[in-house]
Amino acid sequence: MIRGLVAQGINGIIQVLTGARALWDGCEPSAHRRVYYGNHASHGDFVMIWSSLPKALRPQVRPVAGADYWNRDPVRRYIISRVFNAVLIEREAHKRTEDPVKTMARAVEEGSSLILFPEGTRNTEEGLLPFKSGIYHLGRECPNLEFVPVWLDNLKRAMPKGRLMPLPLLCTARFGAPIALTEGESKSDFLARARDALLALSDDPSATETGLSGEDTTEATMATKPANTIEAGTLIGTEQAGRKREGA
Amino acid sequence: MMTWMEGLSDAMKLVVGVGGVLLIATLIAEALRLKTRGQPSAVIDNLVARIRAWWVMAAVVGLAFACGRNGVIALFFLVSFFALREFLTLTPTRKADYWPLVAAFYIVLPYQYWTIHSEWYGMQALVIPVYAFLFLPILASTGGDTSRYLERTAKIQWGLMICVFCISHVPALMNLSIGGLDPDIERNLLLIAFLVIVVQSSDVLQYVWGKLLGKHKVAPQLSPSKTWEGLIGGVASATLLGAALWWITPFSPLQAAGMALVINIMGFFGGMVMSAIKRDRGIKDWGHMIEGHGGMLDRLDSVCFAAPVFFHMTRYFFSSAV
């Protein structure tokens, strides 16, 4: 009851603060077991993905979180474990009592979908950090598991790492087409493919399509280049500038 | 008492008028939809969505008017907030701009509206052009990041000027003392109605004229759907509308036409400038909050440019107060 309210409260804060716009470009919400993997810049990230999902699906979607960080005090522990029912894994090898891949695989076998951030930590720079190999091993443990890339836009600006006060900037979660580990695919191939699939979502190909909203767009094919080509990656937030198409 | 009664009845006439126009628009759109039955048309769907959004916008503005002075200030505070967030979402800044952004959203924006609430005209005109202009770059420089520094500070200052400073001139009209009297809220609300109705009608009429007759593009690089036919037809008809609305203003019919002409032209150029920014950023709409229209700024770009000019012309020529 209280957990539900706290979850709704946190969800509400994210919605009001960021506009939490979800674009289902490559797939539809589904009750299938999935791993949603995204770029990681803020603590709002997993809430953003979580609240993009239909309400009915949320209880079976569990974020994967670093135990060392989230167990540091009772409030964090309550939120991550009780409210969001997270799968906690130990990031530092010497503290591990169980292989994190096993922990995640067990959650998947129990019927949960997961939200995880393969960069392993919040990235304060542009683009993506190298992926940790966890998603590859998880794919091996759980064959046929779908991995859905989710590009999270602007949370880096809205909730910067280490800042207490969030900024009310609009944020978007863009869901791409699922990928799966193929027979005999090597670790580096799969990680590269997963990373590319995620990065591809940061660069919106639909920016020059004719849309339906706005006076200027009803008949115009726009003669513009996406903003990304103008300032390729030099400024935080360029990724979202080329955005337009609204998910169905 | 007498003026208050008159104001009220004028306001009621205006409500009936706006409702009637929207009703006619709805009927036309539905008739068009019936006519094209079977063939889904993007243009008509968009038209229907836009008209529906107009009903909502008219209702929201009407409700704020009914709540009086504080309602209108609160409404435009929110409008500024949504516009600023759209603007700054789409104009990238860097990590070092965190504190200027915090100040923009949490200090400058509320303070600007506070100056209007407290009728502090001097500060209303200074907060953003002077104090924000000086202090936000100071804050940005403490971040220690010089890359694209001028561009970043310019973006934040521009966002504040357009979304907060300019838009705040709409509710600021309530503070004007027309003809040496203390500000008469009822009459001044009608001044706001005049500005908003004329400028927004100009947008709509430019769109309609452009759709009907548009051939020659004004500025294909900036805004492919703006045509000379739309511009001239729209501005001319909205100017006539402004003249026809003289009875809700302190202006004579001719003065009302002049005012309407100026704000329509400013509104047109506002749309142009904001289009240029959108094209530069590679986007088509500022946001998504108003269905069929795009974002708050897509709907208000013309008002942003018209409001300060309208405010100062009215203040200079018709207000005797300080």
Side-chain angles (χ1 to χ4, degrees):
Chain A
M1 174 65 188
I2 293 179
R3 275 183 279 162
L5 284 178
V6 175
Q8 279 314 305
I10 294 175
N11 182 29
I13 291 170
I14 288 283
Q15 298 270 351
V16 169
L17 189 74
T18 69
R21 194 156 150 265
L23 302 174
W24 293 86
D25 276 6
C27 62
E28 293 297 318
S30 148
H32 278 291
R33 287 178 312 164
R34 279 173 166 175
V35 173
Y36 297 98
Y37 70 98
N39 53 316
H40 199 18
S42 89
H43 289 318
D45 290 347
F46 76 85
V47 186
M48 194 56 193
I49 295 180
W50 187 81
S51 57
S52 297
L53 300 167
K55 232 176 181 169
L57 294 183
R58 289 180 199 163
Q60 38 172 318
V61 180
R62 304 174 64 187
V64 176
D68 48 310
Y69 179 87
W70 287 96
N71 274 338
R72 228 174 273 166
D73 62 60
V75 176
R76 284 187 226 183
R77 199 178 309 144
Y78 175 80
I79 289 176
I80 204 70
S81 305
R82 306 285 291 170
V83 178
F84 290 104
N85 190 22
V87 179
L88 289 181
I89 56 171
E90 194 55 65
R91 282 184 290 193
E92 287 170 59
H94 68 273
K95 287 188 189 161
R96 281 177 188 157
T97 52
E98 188 186 28
D99 177 7
V101 176
K102 289 272 185 318
T103 319
M104 292 190 282
R106 201 172 56 236
V108 172
E109 276 151 23
E110 286 165 8
S112 299
S113 290
L114 302 179
I115 297 171
L116 65 82
F117 300 100
E119 291 170 279
T121 185
R122 285 175 288 160
N123 175 14
T124 55
E125 298 306 316
E126 285 307 306
L128 286 174
L129 300 171
F131 276 13
K132 309 273 182 202
S133 59
I135 54 168
Y136 166 75
H137 296 298
L138 183 60
R140 297 250 310 200
E141 289 280 323
C142 313
N144 304 323
L145 189 58
E146 282 188 341
F147 291 86
V148 177
V150 188
W151 183 265
L152 296 166
D153 224 348
N154 233 8
L155 276 143
K156 193 175 297 187
R157 288 173 80 205
M159 301 180 161
K161 187 173 184 173
R163 303 290 197 190
L164 201 59
M165 189 145 31
L167 293 167
L169 297 167
L170 297 165
C171 301
T172 312
R174 182 177 293 265
F175 292 75
I179 61 170
L181 183 64
T182 55
E183 198 68 37
E185 190 172 11
S186 76
K187 187 171 90 176
S188 58
D189 285 353
F190 178 71
L191 292 181
R193 194 155 65 90
R195 196 167 176 275
D196 290 345
L198 183 53
L199 269 178
L201 295 172
S202 71
D203 183 18
D204 181 30
S206 66
T208 50
E209 275 177 20
T210 311
L212 294 177
S213 49
E215 228 129 285
D216 296 323
T217 60
T218 38
E219 50 188 290
T221 39
M222 300 220 327
T224 72
K225 44 191 172 170
N228 311 55
T229 58
I230 301 169
E231 310 186 337
T234 47
L235 290 180
I236 296 173
T238 35
E239 309 90 330
Q240 96 287 337
R243 286 301 142 69
K244 178 61 201 71
R245 192 174 52 191
E246 183 80 59
Chain B
M1 192 62 194
M2 211 40 223
T3 49
W4 183 80
M5 290 289 284
E6 273 171 28
L8 193 68
S9 64
D10 281 356
M12 281 317 289
K13 279 185 235 163
L14 212 55
V15 169
V16 173
V18 170
V21 169
L22 286 179
L23 198 62
I24 292 167
T26 306
L27 291 175
I28 292 174
E30 290 303 324
L32 284 173
R33 188 143 76 162
L34 279 178
K35 228 173 98 184
T36 57
R37 184 145 245 172
Q39 303 153 299
S41 157
V43 174
I44 290 179
D45 287 350
N46 181 248
L47 186 69
V48 171
R50 276 171 186 240
I51 294 169
R52 199 169 297 149
W54 274 119
W55 278 106
V56 176
M57 289 187 277
V60 170
V61 173
L63 193 68
F65 275 37
C67 295
R69 191 164 187 278
N70 290 338
V72 173
I73 291 176
L75 171 70
F76 283 95
F77 170 80
L78 287 174
V79 165
S80 277
F81 169 77
F82 286 121
L84 185 65
R85 125 199 271 210
E86 284 173 2
F87 191 96
L88 290 175
T89 293
L90 292 169
T91 49
T93 52
R94 291 169 68 88
K95 234 185 319 180
D97 297 311
Y98 175 74
W99 286 111
L101 288 172
V102 166
F105 276 111
Y106 300 127
I107 298 171
V108 180
L109 167 64
Y111 193 66
Q112 175 72 9
Y113 279 87
W114 174 254
T115 64
I116 288 164
H117 177 77
S118 56
E119 300 185 49
W120 189 4
Y121 172 75
M123 194 50 97
Q124 172 205 323
L126 292 179
V127 177
I128 293 170
V130 176
Y131 293 106
F133 179 73
L134 297 176
F135 283 99
L136 295 189
I138 293 176
L139 281 177
S141 68
T142 62
D145 178 356
T146 55
S147 74
R148 292 177 183 265
Y149 177 81
L150 181 57
E151 183 181 322
R152 283 154 43 207
T153 52
K155 281 169 176 169
I156 298 174
Q157 183 66 20
W158 241 83
L160 282 172
M161 282 299 292
I162 289 290
C163 305
V164 183
F165 182 79
C166 288
I167 290 178
S168 75
H169 282 75
V170 181
L173 286 166
M174 290 188 298
N175 293 343
L176 291 180
S177 311
I178 309 290
L181 306 164
D182 276 344
D184 175 344
I185 297 301
E186 311 287 342
R187 295 309 306 179
N188 287 4
L189 281 178
L190 291 175
L191 216 49
I192 294 181
F194 177 83
L195 168 68
V196 173
I197 289 172
V198 169
V199 174
Q200 296 288 359
S201 304
S202 172
D203 283 0
V204 173
L205 290 165
Q206 284 176 43
Y207 170 85
V208 172
W209 283 101
K211 277 265 179 284
L212 293 177
L213 303 175
K215 276 199 183 63
H216 304 89
K217 293 193 184 343
V218 177
Q221 294 299 322
L222 291 185
S223 182
S225 64
K226 284 190 167 57
T227 59
W228 280 107
E229 292 82 354
L231 168 60
I232 294 167
V235 168
S237 43
T239 300
L240 287 179
L241 174 71
L245 285 175
W246 68 274
W247 48 275
I248 63 170
T249 69
F251 319 137
S252 73
L254 200 63
Q255 289 167 336
M259 284 288 198
L261 181 64
V262 173
I263 58 181
N264 288 335
I265 289 172
M266 284 310 293
F268 170 80
F269 284 118
M272 210 67 143
V273 169
M274 297 306 275
S275 257
I277 298 175
K278 286 191 282 186
R279 296 297 171 269
D280 180 28
R281 299 297 317 133
I283 50 165
K284 286 182 308 206
D285 291 327
W286 286 103
H288 312 272
M289 68 179 296
I290 310 176
E291 214 201 327
H293 297 259
M296 183 64 83
L297 270 178
D298 293 291
R299 192 60 275 135
L300 281 188
D301 48 11
S302 47
V303 174
C304 292
F305 275 62
V309 174
F310 182 69
F311 175 90
H312 285 291
M313 286 201 310
T314 308
R315 188 169 180 276
Y316 186 81
F317 292 115
F318 298 91
S319 155
S320 56
V322 273

